[in-house]
């Protein structure tokens, strides 16, 4: 039937007709499905970077072609349900996550969960990455009628710090921390992003892993094949890496470069990079297909969007080097997968040069913890731990006979003190330091006495010991440059001791493969009463700086191994000792129990909720107090930032401290001027020799 608008009059009929047309159009638009765009098609069309970004303006797939297929797998209509991206740092993984959030807010708005290791990390990402993207992208910006609802609306209906609302369909982005179960419960979501996955705890509040909680939130949508999940992280320890496990669970893929010379395809490996000795800035890649040197500026043209291939196809291993024809043949045989893993190492990253990789690699040599960091963040691969501790009896060969405990040999320039707190006393180790992380053990002893009352017992003895300072060759006495004192036991007493002098720092050792050597101040938990007095609790207001003990112990064991190897080589070959990074010197009076304690821990594997957890554990029948002292000493060098001192700085400080007693005294970090550096005649230690007749003996003639 035809509706007669004219019976309502000319004016009213025309208005009704106009309204009906508008209603019909709106109804049709509501029924129309969203455009069938892939994420890699949506991003260059709509995503913008703010003007202050490193690469401002519109998103361009050409900048990082290796990200195209990763984004395509996250597209709504792609059968893939879970993408795991194992990557190096600063490789574009987070940008993929940001694109995905903008994409779903536009084309498929629904409940979305974004999980970071902590809620603080999530809110920082929200402020520093997500909202700048939203405000720079007209398609998303609430100020330009975009798909995201504005913040701070007067009626309370806008986006908040924790929850970013979509402008239509009731969808939202919920931020959560993997360290709190409250944000991971009681919500059903369709989409989930887990960023920095390897920093997630293995067991959250004894309720299982955060990954398992995210599984539960996605279950309803996943049962209908409509869920999407993105896991992103740099890897940590091989065998315990969460992103490494997720990468291998489904369909793991590698990225093939195209050789600019013979047009073959190949997976680049670290061994393919070469450079002249001492010139990492000239690093180049020798292609494994035709063995032709290739410069870094050619890397961009070697990356094509179709570069990804599975490790296995139809049960067969895919070769690392392929002709273009063979490569396309393997690509044609790849099948869609519900779970896909992508590995994005530094060697193919758009934002990391080969010379940067080589320079960082050389800088990490000699320090196992630094090498681990390089492997994880720059190389983008899992680090394989060595779980063998150095033989403590072999360490006794490192005792040098020409100086004893309490003496200052030629060499140290900086001094630190590490203190481990026990109920019946304090273990301490006084260490001198020189360039290249070389160390001299100046003293190691146990101060008996009560430690539960501030300023009394062993604390009074430690305070007197500390106030003596250290006398350098030439007679000048300086205070200990930095002390690090264990505050994880009898916290109040340790805090009171550290509050007396500016060079003292309360520290708290904490396990964790991703923690820094010395981190920010955090609340230290302890019990004030009961059978656990002095042990961890949740009620302390005191602050202590965390020490990432896992990595420091890796470095310490590496220094010991390198020193033993250098000394043994000098003794067997009869030549000079080649000084390694972190060379360790021990005096003839090093306490016998120091050797067992200094290497009392080993890396063991413990299954936690069905997953392997690699951790440091004390060997049966051993104590680890002097190991803890050395860990705190290494943390003290981090506080002093000794790694930032150059040759001129060390020479100037050495001249100042080794000068005659009547010379003007100063402070290590007071900043010696260039004129003083030039005028100072810095005494240098005599060449160090090894005597094959009687083991390892350093001879320093004219010591005084």
């Amino acid at each position: 039937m035809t509706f007669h608008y004219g019976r309502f009059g000319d004016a009213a009929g025309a208005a009704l007709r106009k309204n009906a047309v508008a209603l019909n159009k709106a109804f049709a638009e509501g029924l129309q499905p969203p455009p069938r765009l892939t994420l890699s098609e949506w991003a260059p069309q709509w995503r913008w970077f703010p003007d202050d970004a490193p690469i401002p303006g519109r998103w361009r797939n050409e900048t990082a072609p290796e990200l195209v297929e990763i984004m395509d797998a996250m597209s709504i209509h792609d059968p893939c349900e879970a993408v795991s991206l194992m990557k190096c740092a600063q490789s574009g993984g987070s940008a993929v996550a940001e694109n995905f959030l903008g994409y779903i807010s536009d084309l498929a708005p629904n409940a979305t969960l974004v999980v970071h290791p902590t809620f603080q990390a999530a809110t920082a990402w929200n402020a520093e990455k997500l909202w700048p993207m939203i405000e720079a992208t007209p398609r998303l910006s609430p100020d330009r009628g975009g798909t995201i609802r504005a913040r701070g609306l007067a009626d309370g209906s806008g986006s908040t710090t924790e929850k970013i609302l979509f402008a239509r369909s009731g969808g939202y982005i919920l931020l959560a921390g993997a360290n709190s179960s409250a944000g991971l419960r009681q919500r059903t979501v369709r989409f989930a992003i887990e960023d920095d996955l390897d920093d997630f705890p293995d067991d959250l509040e004894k309720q299982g892993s955060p990954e398992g909680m995210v599984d539960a939130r996605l279950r309803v949508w996943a049962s209908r094949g409509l869920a999407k999940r993105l896991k992103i992280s740099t890897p940590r320890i091989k065998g315990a890496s969460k992103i490494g496990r997720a990468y291998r669970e489904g369909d793991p893929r590698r990225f093939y470069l195209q050789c600019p010379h013979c047009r073959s395809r190949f997976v680049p490996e670290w061994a393919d990079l070469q450079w002249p000795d001492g010139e990492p800035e000239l690093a180049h890649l020798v292609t494994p297909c035709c063995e032709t040197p290739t410069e870094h500026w050619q890397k961009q043209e070697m990356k094509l969007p179709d570069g990804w291939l599975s490790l296995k196809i139809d049960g067969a291993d895919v070769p690392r080097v392929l002709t273009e024809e063979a490569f396309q043949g393997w690509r044609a045989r790849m099948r869609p997968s519900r779970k896909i893993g992508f590995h994005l190492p530094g060697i193919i990253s758009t934002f990391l040069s080969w010379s940067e990789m080589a320079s960082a690699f050389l800088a990490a040599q000699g320090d196992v913890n630094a090498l681990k960091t390089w492997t994880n963040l720059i190389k983008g691969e899992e680090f394989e731990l060595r779980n063998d501790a150095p033989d403590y009896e072999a360490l006794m060969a490192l005792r040098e006979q020409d100086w004893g405990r309490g003496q200052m040999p030629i060499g140290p320039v900086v001094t630190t003190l590490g203190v481990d707190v026990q109920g019946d006393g304090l273990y301490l180790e006084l260490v001198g330091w020189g360039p290249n992380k070389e160390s001299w053990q100046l003293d190691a002893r146990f101060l008996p006495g009560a430690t539960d009352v501030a300023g009394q017992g062993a604390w009074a003895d430690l305070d007197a010991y500390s106030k003596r300072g250290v006398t350098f060759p030439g007679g000048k006495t300086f205070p200990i440059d930095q002390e690090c004192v264990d505050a994880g036991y009898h916290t109040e007493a340790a805090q009171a001791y550290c509050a007396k002098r500016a060079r003292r720092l309360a520290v708290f050792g904490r396990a964790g493969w991703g923690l820094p050597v010395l981190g920010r101040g955090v609340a230290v938990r302890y019990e004030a009463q009961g059978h656990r007095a002095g042990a961890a609790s949740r009620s302390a207001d005191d602050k202590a700086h965390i020490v990432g003990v896992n990595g420091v112990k890796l470095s310490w064991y590496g220094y010991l191994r390198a020193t033993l190897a250098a000394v043994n080589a000098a003794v067997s070959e009869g030549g000079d000792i080649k000084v390694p990074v972190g060379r360790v010197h021990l005096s003839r009076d090093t306490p016998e129990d120091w050797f067992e304690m200094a290497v009392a821990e080993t890396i063991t594997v413990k299954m936690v909720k069905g997953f392997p957890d690699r951790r440091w554990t004390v060997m049966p029948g051993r104590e680890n107090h002097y190991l803890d002292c050395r860990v705190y000493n290494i943390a003290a060098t981090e506080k002093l930032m000794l790694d930032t001192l150059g040759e001129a700085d060390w020479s100037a400080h050495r001249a100042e401290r080794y000068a005659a007693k009547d010379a003007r005294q100063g402070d290590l970090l007071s900043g010696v001027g260039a004129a003083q550096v030039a005028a100072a005649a810095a005494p240098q230690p005599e060449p160090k020799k090894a005597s094959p007749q009687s083991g390892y003996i350093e001879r320093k003639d004219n010591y005084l």
Side-chain angles (χ1 to χ4, degrees):
M1 294 180 60
T2 301
F3 188 83
H4 298 288
Y5 295 100
R7 61 181 174 173
F8 296 97
D10 293 342
L16 287 173
R17 183 184 295 275
K18 184 177 180 181
N19 289 343
V21 171
L23 180 62
N24 185 56
K25 181 180 179 182
F27 187 70
E29 289 177 348
L31 292 177
Q32 182 183 12
R36 189 179 174 87
L37 290 177
T38 64
L39 179 52
S40 68
E41 292 170 339
W42 182 92
Q45 186 173 351
W46 300 114
R47 167 76 192 268
W48 286 75
F49 290 96
D51 292 338
D52 58 352
I55 307 177
R58 191 186 294 273
W59 174 279
R60 297 176 67 249
N61 286 336
E62 296 80 8
T63 302
E66 64 272 21
L67 302 180
V68 169
E69 194 162 316
I70 300 172
M71 290 191 289
D72 285 344
M74 291 301 298
S75 303
I76 298 299
H77 52 272
D78 192 279
C80 178
E81 298 175 1
V83 169
S84 300
L85 177 56
M86 182 169 68
K87 66 181 189 67
C88 65
Q90 301 299 319
S91 56
S94 295
V96 171
E98 296 156 16
N99 287 349
F100 178 63
L101 293 174
Y103 172 78
I104 60 176
S105 74
D106 186 16
L107 302 183
N110 216 305
T112 306
L113 180 64
V114 178
V115 188
H116 284 255
T118 65
F119 184 67
Q120 290 79 6
T123 55
W125 167 81
N126 182 24
E128 298 168 10
K129 296 293 183 70
L130 182 59
W131 271 103
M133 177 195 74
I134 292 171
E135 292 168 346
T137 303
R139 188 74 168 184
L140 309 179
S141 174
D143 294 335
R144 288 174 269 189
T147 61
I148 303 297
R149 193 172 299 177
R151 296 174 288 185
L153 298 180
D155 61 358
S157 63
S159 298
T160 64
T161 300
E162 180 182 357
K163 197 172 186 178
I164 297 92
L165 301 177
F166 298 151
R168 60 187 179 90
S169 301
Y172 56 82
I173 301 168
L174 181 69
L175 305 183
N179 61 339
S180 173
S181 61
L184 301 176
R185 291 199 209 107
Q186 300 176 350
R187 290 179 174 88
T188 297
V189 298
R190 181 180 177 184
F191 307 114
I193 296 174
E194 293 148 283
D195 205 353
D196 289 330
L197 182 66
D198 266 23
D199 288 336
F200 286 19
D202 297 319
D203 189 8
L204 178 57
E205 300 170 6
K206 298 183 178 180
Q207 300 180 44
S209 70
E211 289 180 273
M213 296 182 180
V214 176
D215 285 339
R217 306 284 72 80
L218 290 165
R219 188 166 296 135
V220 174
W221 286 97
S223 66
R224 289 158 174 76
L226 297 174
K228 284 281 184 180
R229 186 175 190 173
L230 176 61
K231 299 182 179 184
I232 309 171
S233 187
T234 53
R236 291 282 190 262
I237 304 302
K238 188 173 184 178
S241 171
K242 298 177 180 64
I243 192 64
R245 182 177 64 247
Y247 166 73
R248 288 183 287 269
E249 275 181 351
D251 178 10
R253 298 181 181 181
R254 301 178 297 180
F255 192 79
Y256 285 69
L257 300 180
Q258 186 180 61
C259 178
H261 312 289
C262 68
R263 316 312 292 179
S264 296
R265 299 280 189 128
F266 65 93
V267 177
E269 294 182 351
W270 172 245
D272 297 330
L273 286 188
Q274 298 181 13
W275 60 89
D277 288 344
E279 298 182 282
E281 65 276 5
L282 299 180
H284 58 274
L285 185 142
V286 178
T287 59
C289 44
C290 59
E291 299 185 350
T292 305
T294 305
E295 301 300 329
H296 175 262
W297 61 265
Q298 297 174 278
K299 179 166 68 172
Q300 198 64 17
E301 69 177 89
M302 298 166 70
K303 296 192 296 184
L304 303 179
D306 67 348
W308 292 99
L309 268 185
S310 302
L311 289 177
K312 286 180 177 289
I313 297 178
D314 296 333
D317 293 331
V318 180
R320 181 169 87 97
V321 180
L322 295 166
T323 65
E324 178 65 21
E325 183 180 3
F327 176 84
Q328 295 300 339
W330 284 102
R331 282 273 299 180
R333 292 165 57 189
M334 279 208 311
R335 300 175 182 176
S337 302
R338 294 179 56 209
K339 291 184 178 181
I340 302 178
F342 295 96
H343 183 205
L344 191 55
I347 199 168
I348 68 170
S349 173
T350 295
F351 311 104
L352 186 64
S353 71
W354 293 335
S355 62
E356 288 175 308
M357 291 188 70
S359 298
F361 173 74
L362 293 180
Q365 295 307 295
D367 188 332
V368 182
N369 191 39
L371 186 61
K372 171 192 163 296
T373 301
W374 176 86
T375 302
N376 294 158
L377 300 184
I378 297 180
K379 193 179 182 185
E381 294 183 1
E382 299 163 288
F383 184 78
E384 189 166 3
L385 292 174
R386 292 179 58 180
N387 61 0
D388 54 322
D391 182 2
Y392 77 89
E393 293 181 340
L395 297 180
M396 295 181 181
L398 300 183
R399 288 185 288 196
E400 302 173 17
Q401 301 303 312
D402 56 350
W403 59 282
R405 184 167 68 175
Q407 296 178 329
M408 172 67 79
I410 296 290
V413 179
V414 182
T415 56
T416 63
L417 183 70
V419 181
D420 182 55
V421 180
Q422 297 298 306
D424 59 347
L426 303 171
Y427 285 86
L428 65 86
E429 185 184 35
L430 181 66
V431 178
W433 299 89
N436 212 28
K437 302 179 183 179
E438 192 170 7
S439 68
W440 289 257
Q441 186 206 72
L442 305 178
D443 192 12
R445 65 180 68 221
F446 175 69
L447 300 179
T451 58
D452 57 338
V453 180
Q456 299 184 25
W459 292 110
D461 295 336
L462 179 63
D463 189 55
Y465 180 94
S466 171
K467 287 179 180 177
R468 296 175 195 166
V470 180
T471 301
F472 285 78
K476 295 182 70 173
T477 299
F478 286 83
I480 298 170
D481 293 296
Q482 184 64 55
E483 301 177 37
C484 282
V485 181
D486 171 25
Y489 191 78
H490 293 321
T491 305
E492 290 181 328
Q495 287 289 95
Y497 170 79
C498 292
K500 287 185 176 182
R501 306 190 76 178
R503 299 171 187 264
R504 298 171 179 174
L505 186 69
V507 296
F508 177 57
R510 181 170 293 175
W513 294 107
L515 294 177
V517 173
L518 185 66
R520 62 184 179 84
V522 297
V524 177
R525 304 171 296 175
Y526 70 100
E527 292 285 357
Q529 300 177 359
H531 70 284
R532 296 184 69 249
S537 166
R538 295 180 181 272
S539 61
D541 294 325
D542 300 275
K543 293 283 184 178
H545 288 261
I546 62 170
V547 175
V549 298
N550 285 10
V552 177
K553 290 171 185 175
L554 275 183
S555 294
W556 170 236
Y557 279 25
Y559 298 156
L560 289 174
R561 290 193 192 97
T563 303
L564 282 170
V567 169
N568 292 335
V571 171
S572 62
E573 298 170 7
D576 293 340
I577 295 175
K578 295 181 180 179
V579 180
V581 174
R583 180 183 178 183
V584 179
H585 297 266
L586 303 176
S587 79
R588 61 173 179 261
D589 297 326
T590 299
E592 293 294 327
D593 60 347
W594 182 92
F595 295 96
E596 279 197 70
M597 290 191 192
V599 290
E601 295 187 19
T602 187
I603 297 173
T604 60
V605 180
K606 181 179 179 181
M607 299 304 293
V608 177
K609 300 293 183 180
F611 299 112
D613 177 29
R614 283 161 171 78
R615 59 181 65 183
W616 289 98
T617 55
V618 182
M619 299 180 197
R622 304 272 285 271
E623 294 182 325
N624 63 346
H625 309 308
Y626 283 130
L627 174 59
D628 288 342
C629 288
R630 181 57 68 129
V631 166
Y632 299 145
N633 271 296
I634 294 174
T637 67
E638 189 78 4
K639 179 67 167 65
L640 294 171
M641 296 186 292
L642 298 189
D643 59 329
T644 65
L645 299 182
E647 292 183 10
D649 300 312
W650 286 105
S651 296
H653 299 323
R654 183 182 295 109
E656 181 184 36
R657 296 197 164 193
Y658 281 59
K661 190 174 183 179
D662 59 351
R664 180 182 64 84
Q665 292 206 40
D667 182 78
L668 169 68
L669 303 178
S670 60
V672 179
Q676 292 170 284
V677 174
Q684 298 293 330
E686 295 290 327
K688 301 169 185 177
K689 305 288 185 180
S691 173
Q693 296 90 339
S694 55
Y696 172 41
I697 299 176
E698 288 192 355
R699 296 180 177 175
K700 300 187 182 73
D701 299 327
N702 303 319
Y703 171 70
L704 294 179

